[in-house]
Amino acid sequence: NPREVARHARDGLGGNMVRATTIARTEILRAYRTAALDTYRANSDVVEGWVWLAELDARTCEVCIAMNGTLLDDDSFDSHPNCRCTAVPKTKSWKDLGFDGIEDSQPVIETGEDWFARQPETVQRTILGPGKLAAYQSGKITLPDLVERTHSPQWGGGRKARSLADLGVKA
């Protein structure tokens, strides 16, 4: 449990339980995601990639909403601290596996953009803030525009939200 790990790490972080919990939660989930992706790669005869799956609610960040439903085939789940997302396998079709006549039973994963578009403006504002929401509503930006890949020598790959200034958009 991340809270248990955090309690043990707290003293090494000067008593900062919030930071210890963030690190524990993030690194435990990174280990899970890495193992899942290793399993998908080891089963490439059946798995053709993976799909980013977010917990879609008002607490979900714009990066994870934009990534939700995206089919990826790269080797890493580059995320951010406290990310609640997971990687789900995208398997080959029954036909691709040599089984003709079996109906495809893969679940349809709604894109984050479609989910976001269905949300009331209050939820959209909570997620994006007023400036980004105005730019989104006017068509100046899309949710995928907000995703930036990052790399830290200490923590590895990640993703963060771009600012309107980064995108050259005036609020």
Side-chain angles (χ1 to χ4, degrees):
N1 184 307
R3 288 185 202 112
E4 182 68 23
V5 172
R7 280 193 284 279
H8 293 291
R10 175 180 46 205
D11 291 340
L13 294 166
N16 188 334
M17 188 62 174
V18 172
R19 180 157 166 72
T21 302
T22 295
I23 291 170
R25 181 181 300 121
T26 301
E27 295 311 313
I28 287 170
L29 285 172
R30 184 193 318 250
Y32 161 77
R33 292 177 189 129
T34 299
L37 293 179
D38 286 347
T39 300
Y40 303 159
R41 279 190 295 278
N43 291 283
S44 61
D45 57 326
V46 177
V47 178
E48 62 184 18
W50 59 277
V51 178
W52 188 296
L53 186 64
E55 175 66 33
L56 296 173
D57 61 29
R59 294 183 329 150
T60 306
C61 75
E62 64 259 46
V63 170
C64 294
I65 293 169
M67 294 302 299
N68 190 71
T70 304
L71 176 63
L72 300 159
D73 60 7
D74 57 4
D75 287 342
S76 62
F77 191 107
D78 295 338
S79 188
H80 59 81
N82 283 324
C83 179
R84 301 179 294 156
C85 299
T86 192
V88 295
K90 168 74 168 108
T91 57
K92 295 179 181 178
S93 71
W94 287 112
K95 184 175 182 172
D96 290 342
L97 294 171
F99 299 98
D100 289 330
I102 300 176
E103 187 177 330
D104 185 19
S105 58
Q106 293 197 33
V108 175
I109 297 175
E110 180 179 36
T111 68
E113 288 183 281
D114 288 346
W115 176 86
F116 187 79
R118 289 188 300 101
Q119 300 311 299
E121 187 171 325
T122 55
V123 171
Q124 292 177 342
R125 186 177 314 286
T126 297
I127 293 165
L128 292 183
K132 286 182 182 176
L133 180 59
Y136 169 82
Q137 289 173 331
S138 69
K140 292 179 183 174
I141 63 168
T142 65
L143 292 180
D145 292 336
L146 296 173
V147 179
E148 180 178 342
R149 290 190 87 155
T150 62
H151 184 79
S152 159
Q154 183 176 14
W155 301 105
R159 294 181 201 264
K160 71 173 189 171
R162 288 184 174 138
S163 68
L164 290 176
D166 290 341
L167 294 167
V169 175
K170 296 193 186 233

